[in-house]
Amino acid sequence: VAHNKSYDQVLLEDVEGLMGKYVEVDITSAGKHYLMATLVPGSLEKAVRLPEPLAQGVVSGATVQPPLLGARSKEAGASWQRRYIPHILLVLFLAIIVRSIQLVQLPER
């Protein structure tokens, strides 16, 4: 049993060395949930092999492994504080100013 891009089942005859390869097939008949197919001659010789799976825990495309969870340094926490706390204080200060202006401009009833 194979699958196409739409994940429909493609039923082929049992051919040695076919497992895990992309091959070309001719669709001979179709049912509601399956496709019957025959292998195109010469397709097995040109078949593309799927890459071997990565070991458990290995991230694909990663050039540097991330640090373990909970392994943060004190410098990392300090740099976060130096970077964001001034901005947070500025936003809070501006919010207090805007709210005080709104309160001053309230009409008297």
Side-chain angles (χ1 to χ4, degrees), residues 97-108:
I97 290 175
V98 168
R99 185 62 181 152
S100 63
I101 292 172
Q102 290 173 344
L103 290 174
V104 168
Q105 292 180 351
L106 282 177
E108 293 183 24

Side-chain angles (χ1 to χ4, degrees), residues 44-62:
L44 191 55
E45 290 79 26
K46 298 184 288 183
V48 177
R49 181 89 179 140
L50 295 174
E52 292 298 319
L54 297 173
Q56 185 174 358
V58 176
V59 179
S60 65

Side-chain angles (χ1 to χ4, degrees), residues 3-108:
H3 293 91
N4 63 5
K5 289 182 180 180
S6 301
Y7 210 70
D8 298 321
Q9 287 187 352
V10 180
L11 304 175
L12 294 165
E13 67 271 5
D14 189 20
V15 177
E16 187 67 32
L18 194 59
M19 181 73 83
K21 294 185 179 177
Y22 285 105
V23 293
E24 286 186 46
V25 296
D26 286 328
I27 304 299
T28 56
S29 64
K32 186 173 182 180
H33 300 289
Y34 66 92
L35 303 166
M36 296 292 291
T38 58
L39 196 59
V40 171
S43 174
L44 191 55
E45 290 79 26
K46 298 184 288 183
V48 177
R49 181 89 179 140
L50 295 174
E52 292 298 319
L54 297 173
Q56 185 174 358
V58 176
V59 179
S60 65
T63 56
V64 177
Q65 288 289 15
L68 296 175
L69 292 176
R72 289 184 51 192
S73 65
K74 292 180 181 177
E75 294 82 21
S79 67
W80 179 89
Q81 292 170 353
R82 281 193 300 271
R83 193 176 327 149
Y84 291 109
I85 287 184
H87 298 291
I88 293 170
L89 291 175
L90 178 63
V91 169
L92 288 173
F93 178 70
L94 291 175
I96 290 170
I97 290 175
V98 168
R99 185 62 181 152
S100 63
I101 292 172
Q102 290 173 344
L103 290 174
V104 168
Q105 292 180 351
L106 282 177
E108 293 183 24

